[in-house]
Amino acid sequence: MQVELVQLAGRDGDTAHNLAAALHAIAGCAAGTRLLVFPETYLTGFPTAENVAALAEPLDGPSLRAVRRSAAERGVAVAIGIAENDNGVFYNTTLLIDGDDTVLTYRKTHLWASDRGVFTPGDRYATALLDGVRVGLLVCFDIEFPESARALGELGAELLIVTNGNMDPYGPTHRTAIMARAMENQAYAVMVNRVGEGDGNLVFAGGSAVVEPGGGLLLEAGREPCRQVIELDMQRLAEARRDYRYLDERRMPLPGQRVEHDSGLRELLIP
């Protein structure tokens, strides 16, 4: 599967600008590209509590309809984020679109500080097949929690897609996290981040990356807008899982014990 990482700058609250950039990227994708991945809430940028009602769109709204049309024209799949309005409840949502069809809809489950008071957290994980590859979605802060990717691993995920809006100084955190999440679940991981400045003096860290099922970096972008194309060799999934399977071999039911030890008492008893 050929994947294209679309690492772009964006404008918070300027859907027209962001949508135009996304449509341009889809229309101009590389020959052979099957899947394009964009940053977190790319279509709308990041809203605030004051403007989210005006900015957020339903999943059948004009921006996503335009993305579906463009994806269908190019015959590609697209993972892209938007501020979602579901009857007055707002979510940080990423969709996996394949032509005219929506394959997956995922609402960010772990809200970063600036998400709180703006979005409602999602309440479920899901995976779906794309060209025979089982795909799961995560959004930004989610990858700092091993349980999020593991939930997708338990649902059979072979490819973790992370739409990212990670800012300075947290770039190294997500670099470490995405490598760990791929290794722990013996799955490919594709993370695409935003670059440039955002509202509130934020500077987005870039560093979009592709990690193979053993946890090794296959591709890592810098801090400038770019388009990176990579072919994922699904045979590496079988190779990574040949000798051991983390999901099969973990021993979670074992009981635990919290031992309280009084170091002061120990010191008194030592001759």
Side-chain angles (χ1 to χ4, degrees), residues 60-197:
D60 61 353
S63 295
L64 287 170
R65 287 201 303 269
V67 170
R68 290 187 188 97
R69 285 195 301 269
S70 183
E73 289 171 2
R74 288 291 290 169
V76 296
V78 175
I80 196 164
I82 192 169
E84 177 195 353
N85 184 343
D86 182 10
N87 296 309
V89 181
F90 307 110
Y91 297 95
N92 183 330
T93 300
T94 288
L95 298 96
L96 177 61
I97 294 165
D98 186 11
D100 289 327
D101 298 325
T102 297
V103 178
L104 275 177
T105 300
Y106 171 70
R107 294 166 169 171
K108 186 176 183 179
T109 52
H110 294 81
L111 299 185
W112 173 249
S114 58
D115 290 322
R116 298 175 200 139
V118 179
F119 295 118
T120 296
D123 63 0
R124 68 197 61 205
Y125 301 98
T127 63
L129 287 175
L130 180 68
D131 296 355
V133 177
R134 187 154 292 279
V135 179
L137 302 175
L138 295 173
V139 179
C140 199
F141 193 41
D142 289 327
I143 66 165
E144 297 183 40
F145 298 86
E147 297 84 357
S148 297
R150 180 50 55 86
L152 295 179
E154 290 177 337
L155 292 168
E158 299 168 306
L159 170 59
L160 308 174
I161 297 174
V162 184
T163 57
N164 216 15
N166 189 31
M167 73 292 289
D168 291 339
Y170 303 111
T173 300
H174 281 203
R175 185 181 193 272
T176 299
I178 195 66
M179 295 168 71
R181 301 298 86 85
M183 185 202 74
E184 291 162 352
N185 295 285
Q186 295 171 298
Y188 276 105
V190 174
M191 176 179 72
V192 177
N193 198 19
R194 184 172 155 184
V195 295
E197 297 181 355

Side-chain angles (χ1 to χ4, degrees), residues 27-73:
C29 69
T33 290
R34 180 65 180 101
L35 169 65
L36 295 95
V37 183
F38 289 82
E40 177 183 9
T41 62
Y42 186 73
L43 290 172
T44 53
F46 289 105
T48 65
E50 290 70 34
N51 70 7
V52 64
L55 193 63
E57 296 184 22
L59 299 185
D60 61 353
S63 295
L64 287 170
R65 287 201 303 269
V67 170
R68 290 187 188 97
R69 285 195 301 269
S70 183
E73 289 171 2

Side-chain angles (χ1 to χ4, degrees), residues 11-25:
R11 296 179 185 174
D12 294 318
D14 192 344
T15 302
H17 170 86
N18 299 331
L19 176 60
L23 297 180
H24 179 75

Side-chain angles (χ1 to χ4, degrees), residues 1-3 5 158-160 175 178-180 182-183 186-191 207-222 228-237 239-240:
M1 179 186 291
Q2 183 170 301
V3 180
L5 286 67
E158 299 168 306
L159 170 59
L160 308 174
R175 185 181 193 272
I178 195 66
M179 295 168 71
M183 185 202 74
Q186 295 171 298
Y188 276 105
V190 174
M191 176 179 72
S208 299
V210 178
V211 184
E212 53 88 19
L217 274 171
L218 296 179
L219 179 156
E220 185 174 25
Q228 302 275 359
V229 178
I230 188 169
E231 183 76 27
L232 302 185
D233 178 4
M234 293 305 162
Q235 182 60 35
R236 296 182 76 162
L237 288 167
E239 293 171 359

